[in-house]
Amino acid sequence: MSANTTTTADGQAPAKQGVSLPQPAAATSNAKIMRTAGVILLAIGIAAPFLSGNFLIFQLTMMMIYAIAILGLNILTGINGQFSLGHGAFYAVGAYTAAIMMDQFGIGYLWTLPVAGIICFVVGFLFGLPALRLEGVYLALATFALAVVTPQLFKLSPFEHWTSGVMGIVISKPDAPFGLPLNPDQWLYFLTFAIGLLAYVCARNLVGSRTGRALMAIRDNPIAAGSMGVNTPLFKSLAFGVSALYTGVAGALGAIVVQYISPDSFTFTLSVALVVGLVVGGVGWLPGALFGGAFIMFVPNIAEELSKGLSGAVYGLIMILMMYAIPTGLGGLLKAALTALSKRSMNR
Amino acid sequence: MSKLLEVTGLHASYGDFRVLHGLDFSVEKGGISTLLGANGAGKTTTLRALCGMIKRSGTIRYDGNDIGSKATEEIVRMGVAHVPEGRGTFTGLTTEENLECGAMTRSSRAEIARDMEQVYHWFPRLRERRAQQAGTLSGGEQQMLAIARALMLRPRLMLLDEPSFGLAPMIVQEMFSILRKVNEEEDVAMLIVEQNAGVVLELADTAFVLETGGIVMSGTAAEIRDNETIRAAYLGY
Amino acid sequence: MELLAQQLITGIATGGIYACMALAVVMIYQAIHHLNFAQGEMAMFSTFIAWQMLAWGVPYWLVIPLTVVVSFAGGVAIERLVIRPLGDAPVLSHIVVFIGLFAIINSLAGFIWDFTIKPFPSPFGEGSQFGGLISNHQIGMIAVTMTVLVMLFLFFQYTRVGLAMRAAAENPASARLVGIRVGWMIALGWGMAAAIGAVAGILIAPIVFLEPNMMLSILLYGFAGAVLGGLTSPTGAVFGGFMVGIIENLAGTYIPEIGGELKLPIALFLIVTVLVFKPTGLFGRTVVQRV
């Protein structure tokens, strides 16, 4: 019995936090609700930049950028069951890739996105190799260290020629192409919107594919997955790579939208915010990324409204209360609501 | 004799899965009762339910008090020592530290020291291993340690979960003779869960036969032992 | 040679601080199997409390015990009010709650005492011994951390409460079966971790100066120490803490590429290397996992 208790405490699989798919019986009605919600969201998303001021557009753009980053983290944590408290590092690598390409080489901003993605994929894949040996809190610990150290790494003098050290890099905001009647903020909004949509569709397809099933099998039971012939090390590293790719593209977009980066834009607060967004949105539930993005973009502002001096404390308090109220995040809440709803309609 | 432990209508479940369906049984003051039954009948669950380690309902009266809603540590503090399945050794502590843990609820250092001597007298092997990490002890030694640790509580009732499990017959005999001595000399009542019905029926005065979460038979140990039909149907020996 | 001696002493002195933080982290990890990412902030807040008392004119010899007592109570209160209601929620929920705690404590400290850097006087005064080889404060740091560590060792090894805490951490179910009130042992662990953190904060504040973000890097070194020694071994954590302090100072001095700016990445490097090659640390026990 002693062995049992230690393993449950230690081997608490992150999978338990995952939001599993709804029951097949309720699936059709749930799918209908979800699809309707998706269409409404899409319509709001297209209309929003024409109805709001430039600052709100900027905020909404940042929200979607965070959502893309959180989507990446969700692939790693929600789908594959690996933790990362250090995704701010990949966000930073993406941002620096974009900024250096534009600043040093004058390359067009659109080209920086795929390059940032590829570089981050490679970096993520490589980081995933040592991370293979780590599980649970140990991985959380290692990635936490990465998050704390990230700004230091970008301040290093050997790279100063590229990164401009603590000074940071200023980027100019691109105009809308093809003479589209959009101001730069609106254009970047739609660009982010399109990339976000593409990222979401790709993530969904990934989850539904053989690869996705392998990733989830590893999450639920790594040893059994291995014995069924899943190449666990390869898939786990791959998950890290893909996850970093998403976050890196988000970082590149973020650099372009904010127009300025410096090492201190990527402190461990950023990494931590991504995790908070992930958990609040719902681990394992892909659309949750959008809500997570909204949470980390807007809730600090709300906290500031409530109390200027104590905004951090209010934000922290909201986080803790959220965890008591909905430990499985919005995704879990929604799933519970849908299950209750379909149960009632089936009883009738 | 009056009853030390009296259980009526005990229900218990793991999550939504009901395991016990209204058990009635009892242990006399200073008596030994045994719960017999095959694997999965709910014997371990019954002991866990008595100690509040899982959710349960029904009345559990111990020494006149209702303990049906008390926390595990509070029940233990009333003198109920549970020797769990798998022994529950503190593997990282030394043998002697394990025994000290057993006496954690008591205050008189002199009495604890005396009882320590007493259990070392009963289990001389433990004295040899006193400074050794308990995790390095053999299975039989760990079982003895578990019983010795329970005795350090100065219990009035001991709950023993398969004390003979995985032990060589010689050691089983030795252990049961010690249990008999404890029962006679210290007046400790016992509720013993066993698959090894032959041995335990020699020791117990009352027996209850458990099958899929319900008591199907009860009587004195002698009655159960001498009834060919019961032996063949439920006890398999 | 003198430089080497000096760096070794500095390493041991700061290593003692890391050892304290590592021990605090390990104590909570053993009790609840989660890493307290807010451990550093708790220590920082304790240090501010000490600073405030000093500013009010309370003598130093009274400030330290008062701060330790207040921190102990604070640690117990956090466990009871914030952590306990979480129960066995998943790892990520715990992480978010720790992050929330981090934000709350950090923001509160900034709100009450603002974010400007404050000098913090050493309880051992200025000046140095042996011709400047070792400062009075370093002697004090080493003496105090050693005393704390020895006292803790004696507490866990030779007192019944210490034994009960070890039993509760190792096997909570069995601990309940011998009548140990496991919930209170966990709260006690939090209180002690907070108190140890307070001592570490007060000792390091004269060196890094006092401000709400002062403990982040210290905590990281503490984590590195805990990992190096093994998260399951308090003795290992203490040893690891000292090792990290020494490695940090020697590497910073003798490997020019590292200098000052790479000191923090050393912690990352250490953590990842140790975890990859010996995940249980130098002293840790392997936990067998079931499928």
Side-chain angles (χ1 to χ4, degrees), chain A residues 10-34:
Chain A
D10 251 355
Q12 204 175 40
K16 283 183 198 129
Q17 189 147 14
V19 181
S20 56
L21 295 168
Q23 302 301 310
T28 38
S29 72
N30 284 352
K32 214 181 287 170
I33 296 173
M34 296 298 272

Side-chain angles (χ1 to χ4, degrees), chain A residues 200-278:
Chain A
Y200 177 70
V201 171
C202 289
R204 270 200 75 125
N205 289 340
L206 176 74
V207 171
S209 70
R210 277 178 64 93
T211 311
R213 281 197 297 277
L215 293 177
M216 285 186 275
I218 292 168
R219 171 194 72 186
D220 294 338
N221 195 334
I223 298 170
S227 63
M228 287 185 320
V230 176
N231 186 345
T232 308
L234 176 70
F235 277 106
K236 282 178 99 171
S237 304
L238 221 52
F240 238 108
V242 172
S243 173
L245 183 153
Y246 271 77
T247 308
V249 170
L253 275 170
I256 297 165
V257 170
V258 179
Q259 301 167 67
Y260 170 71
I261 61 167
S262 75
D264 290 322
S265 323
F266 311 108
T267 58
F268 104 111
T269 321
L270 172 67
S271 294
V272 154
L274 295 179
V275 175
V276 170
L278 169 72

Side-chain angles (χ1 to χ4, degrees), chain A residues 29-43:
Chain A
S29 72
N30 284 352
K32 214 181 287 170
I33 296 173
M34 296 298 272
R35 199 161 307 144
T36 321
V39 171
I40 294 170
L41 257 179
L42 208 65

